[in-house]
Amino acid sequence: MKILVTGAKGFIGKNLVAELKNRKYNDIFEYDKDTDSALLDEYCKEADFVFHLAGVNRPKDQFEFMVGNFGFTSTLLATLKKYNNICPVMISSSIQAELENPYGESKKTGEDLLFNYSKETGAKILVYRFPNVFGKWCRPNYNSAVATFCNNITHDMPIKVNDPSVVMKLVYIDDVVEELINALEDKENKVDEFCEVPIVHTITLGEIVNLIYSYRNSREKCTVPDMADAFSKKLYSTYLSYLPEDQFKYELKMNVDHRGSFTEFIKTPDRGQVSVNISKPDITKGNHWHHTKNEKFLVVSGRGVIRFRKIDSDEVLEYFVSGNKMEVVDIPTGYTHNIENLGDSDMVTIMWANESFDPEKPDTYYLEV
């Protein structure tokens, strides 16, 4: 299948082309504003499907709306007709097509062109009125509030929110691309005469800003967003894509002493805490027990032994562990426990606890094994 993508270097186009290639669609005609216009004839002659994503969003002159959104659509359809190519055509429109503004009017005329083209030729057409689209590779400080907020906050630049109570409807780029590939495979989600991305998120502008600031602060607090919330998961992925390239890494606070170190890595309000423990050779750590707090230990480097003793018993249990064999050891409540490095090098242990450490209520009681 030969696929023509106009606006191939734009936000949606770039993501779509990347995923089409992932799915082994190899005959892709990528057309953008810097493409030799003579190639449009060749592409329109050969194409089996057209994704028409090219358009104008922020022109210097409002007249450019019609030139870019109406004019090029006319050229595209005329070229297809020139070669009697009645392959399916998808067009990227906007919910603003319902509004009386220059951008919306240009999008509406583009839609009408396509509907008339279908009546005239019998070609299948797919008109998508997208709400706000967000995700990686969207141009900031242009026409996307989410892209602007993510970019500016990651770069310590100011943002402006006129009305935080404004309700926004958004679709995520991966959901858009999934739907467009469904359309390519004749499985589009169609409602009346328009097609839609089935997953739409509704949230206020203020809530979006608060989430993004929480992502920035998460490095200091060792927290991660609620990945069970679909919108937060997608927004966090978007946020990370705007990080300055010299700021991908960040430091953690290491608690270091003669025994080694203990470093908190990730804290969550509902899934506990992950830490990294490094023990020097012949060092024993622990010798404490918990009422409710429970843990999982995973030695990833070195070798050692984890010992247990029920607090009302003299019997000591031993579990030998090594980075050569990945085994998780549960630390049950009511057992005092310790971990000793038996090797000649540092022993590294990943430790998970079912709750983040609370210095006001540590639930940790010293008792020798």
Side-chain angles (χ1 to χ4, degrees):
M1 178 175 273
K2 297 177 180 179
I3 303 167
L4 169 57
V5 181
T6 72
K9 294 182 181 178
F11 169 40
I12 297 177
K14 188 176 179 180
N15 279 276
L16 174 62
V17 169
E19 184 57 21
L20 285 170
K21 291 178 179 178
N22 285 341
R23 302 194 188 192
K24 308 306 179 186
Y25 287 98
N26 297 316
D27 291 327
I28 304 172
F29 304 140
E30 300 179 42
Y31 192 90
D32 210 89
K33 58 185 177 182
D34 60 355
T35 306
D36 183 352
S37 59
L39 289 172
L40 187 63
D41 273 73
E42 178 186 336
Y43 294 165
C44 285
K45 181 180 179 181
E46 299 291 333
D48 298 309
F49 194 101
V50 177
F51 288 108
H52 181 32
L53 305 174
V56 175
N57 295 310
R58 282 287 184 92
K60 295 179 180 178
D61 190 311
Q62 292 189 350
F63 174 73
E64 295 178 39
F65 277 131
M66 278 298 179
V67 174
N69 295 331
F70 172 79
F72 180 67
T73 301
S74 299
T75 301
L76 173 68
L77 298 180
T79 309
L80 288 168
K81 283 196 287 186
K82 176 181 176 181
Y83 294 102
N84 297 314
N85 187 344
I86 56 170
C87 70
V89 180
M90 170 271 165
I91 189 171
S92 169
S93 188
S94 166
I95 54 175
Q96 291 199 43
E98 300 175 352
L99 306 179
E100 294 182 1
N101 60 50
Y103 175 67
E105 290 171 357
S106 68
K107 285 295 189 181
K108 180 65 167 61
T109 54
E111 293 177 357
D112 292 342
L113 269 178
L114 211 62
F115 285 124
N116 291 330
Y117 170 78
S118 179
K119 291 177 182 177
E120 180 182 347
T121 65
K124 179 180 179 179
I125 56 115
L126 304 106
V127 180
Y128 284 86
R129 282 184 171 178
F130 293 129
N132 298 280
V133 186
F134 73 103
K136 67 183 183 301
W137 303 336
C138 185
R139 180 177 170 185
N141 298 297
Y142 185 57
N143 71 331
S144 166
V146 171
T148 300
F149 293 159
C150 287
N151 177 77
N152 289 15
I153 290 173
T154 57
H155 288 77
D156 293 321
M157 296 165 57
I159 63 170
K160 183 178 181 181
V161 182
N162 293 324
D163 184 357
S165 66
V166 169
V167 176
M168 297 187 68
K169 290 186 178 297
L170 304 105
V171 287
Y172 183 54
I173 187 61
D174 287 5
D175 296 327
V176 171
V177 168
E178 185 68 29
E179 170 59 24
L180 294 185
I181 294 178
N182 282 341
L184 174 68
E185 297 173 351
D186 203 29
K187 298 180 292 186
E188 66 275 3
N189 181 54
K190 195 164 188 178
V191 179
D192 297 325
E193 61 182 344
F194 296 101
C195 299
E196 297 179 348
V197 178
I199 303 172
V200 180
H201 302 281
T202 302
I203 188 170
T204 67
L205 205 57
E207 289 172 321
I208 293 172
V209 170
N210 289 339
L211 280 172
I212 296 173
Y213 273 118
S214 76
Y215 302 156
R216 188 181 71 172
N217 297 334
S218 67
R219 286 184 165 190
E220 295 178 5
K221 298 180 178 179
C222 294
T223 57
V224 291
D226 180 5
M227 295 299 165
D229 180 85
F231 178 75
S232 182
K233 177 181 178 181
K234 296 168 184 177
L235 184 62
Y236 183 60
S237 295
T238 303
Y239 167 83
L240 290 178
S241 72
Y242 289 89
L243 285 174
E245 292 186 349
D246 62 350
Q247 294 182 30
F248 286 0
K249 71 175 183 178
Y250 60 100
E251 292 184 4
L252 296 174
K253 180 186 176 183
M254 296 179 65
N255 301 288
V256 182
D257 59 23
H258 68 281
R259 302 172 302 163
S261 65
F262 181 82
T263 306
E264 295 176 331
F265 175 31
I266 290 175
K267 299 178 182 179
T268 68
D270 61 340
R271 293 293 186 271
Q273 171 176 316
V274 177
S275 305
V276 180
N277 182 74
I278 299 177
S279 300
K280 297 292 184 181
D282 301 319
I283 290 297
T284 299
K285 290 186 176 183
N287 286 316
H288 58 234
W289 65 281
H290 316 289
H291 280 300
T292 302
K293 179 185 292 186
N294 55 85
E295 299 163 298
K296 293 179 183 290
F297 288 3
L298 172 63
V299 171
V300 296
S301 180
R303 63 185 182 88
V305 60
I306 302 173
R307 299 185 180 93
F308 298 88
R309 180 174 63 82
K310 193 176 290 188
I311 64 169
D312 60 353
S313 170
D314 294 327
E315 182 184 3
V316 176
L317 307 174
E318 291 184 329
Y319 283 82
F320 291 90
V321 289
S322 168
N324 294 326
K325 185 179 182 181
M326 295 291 166
E327 295 179 305
V328 176
V329 179
D330 275 314
I331 312 298
T333 56
Y335 284 83
T336 188
H337 52 276
N338 63 31
I339 180 168
E340 180 183 356
N341 183 350
L342 300 178
D344 299 324
S345 60
D346 287 354
M347 181 175 65
V348 181
T349 308
I350 305 300
M351 296 180 170
W352 171 86
N354 69 320
E355 60 185 35
S356 295
F357 178 71
D358 181 0
E360 299 298 320
K361 191 178 179 181
D363 188 13
T364 302
Y365 307 93
Y366 179 80
L367 182 64
E368 290 277 355
V369 175

